[in-house]
Amino acid sequence: MKRTVRAGVWAALVPVLLVPAAVAAQSYPNKPVRVVIPWPAGGSNDVVGRIVAQKLSESLGQQFIVDNRAGAAGSIGADVVAKAPPDGYTLMVHSTTHVGNAHIYRKLPYDTLKDFTGIAMLVTQPGALTVHPSLPVKSVKEFIALARKRPGEILYSSSGNGSAPHLSMALFISMAGIKLVHVPYKGGAPQVTALVAGEAQASLATVSTVIAHIRAGRLRPLGVNSTEPVSALPGVPPIAATVPGYEMSPWIGVFAPAGMPRPIVERLHAEIGRILKLPDVAKNLANQALEPSLETTEQFNKRLRADYEKYGKLIQMAGAKVE
């Protein structure tokens, strides 16, 4: 009898307990929202983050203010978000590097899976094996041949230890059986700047960060890391055409501190999904080889867990570690 009474009490209380969260979602946001992008301005995360933040500001009637907190492959900015109140007023736009950092840094001040809520996946971001024009190669096959002829002499830049560009190249190096020297930088823009300047001879950078330089003839693309060609780089074949089985699928997504009310998560996810379908947004992203993704929140969080395991194995294989 007591158990039946208790069950009835809880059944009556649940709707009451849910009311504050629902009301909060209806009035959200009622003040500016900080969008932490843990990378420098100019890279893929910054580009897509600013596009979405601007559209959210327009549609929700409050400013979504971008705050670039670069350093340590995104872990400095991620720590800021992990420690913020889970009220919807601090968000983060971060890439696949977020799950890689859990394996490459010996000690992080946060738990990658437990301290964040995945809200929405924004885009997938194909990468391109790109070289400085001074390097005498015009295909992936020629690049591999040159690297085998000059082991340990070709420098490649990345956006940081454990970043998607680093791991994409590490997988390529392993599968191609070559030896290159890794030079990490603090973000995608510095990574590409170094390549254009000739500080490095090669890079497996996201297409969005190198496309302008490729079109201007300052860099030469050899292959893309997706299984299919990229429309922004016509005529550039998949790396897998030369190295069978090679493929990497980095992404960029929106996160919040763990524990954010479900109604706010759902409102943000729905609004972001609507934004990604806007013709001007789709066109803008496509011009930079960023492919919108409309996964559900559940699918995105499932992907986070799967990529957490995948990147852990890849980092172990690459031997990458930061103390």
Side-chain angles (χ1 to χ4, degrees), residues 65-112:
I65 303 170
V66 170
D67 180 7
N68 292 95
R69 293 291 188 98
S75 60
I76 291 176
D79 186 39
V80 171
V81 177
K83 292 177 171 57
D87 55 7
Y89 292 95
T90 301
L91 306 176
M92 176 174 73
V93 173
H94 206 344
S95 66
T96 324
T97 302
H98 182 50
V99 294
N101 283 343
H103 305 281
I104 201 163
Y105 285 89
R106 187 176 295 278
K107 291 182 179 180
L108 285 174
Y110 55 81
D111 186 296
T112 301

Side-chain angles (χ1 to χ4, degrees), residues 12 17 38 57 83 86 125 132 146 176 184 207 220 224 239 251 254 272 297 317:
L17 293 173
S57 296
K83 292 177 171 57
Q125 45 173 353
H132 190 273
L146 182 65
V207 174
R220 180 185 303 131
V224 294
I239 293 172
W251 43 258
V254 178
I272 289 169
T297 299
M317 178 198 76

Side-chain angles (χ1 to χ4, degrees), residues 233-288:
L233 292 175
V236 180
I239 293 172
T242 303
V243 184
Y246 177 83
E247 184 267 337
M248 285 290 282
S249 299
W251 43 258
I252 297 173
V254 178
F255 299 81
M260 196 165 83
R262 180 70 184 184
I264 296 181
V265 172
E266 291 174 349
R267 179 160 195 202
L268 280 169
H269 182 275
E271 194 61 30
I272 289 169
R274 186 192 67 78
I275 288 169
L276 292 178
K277 292 178 183 177
L278 294 174
D280 62 325
V281 171
K283 182 179 179 180
N284 197 342
L285 294 175
N287 286 339
Q288 300 169 75

Side-chain angles (χ1 to χ4, degrees), residues 127 140 222-230 235-244 246:
V140 174
L222 305 181
V224 294
N225 65 357
S226 54
T227 55
E228 298 293 330
V230 174
V236 180
I239 293 172
T242 303
V243 184
Y246 177 83

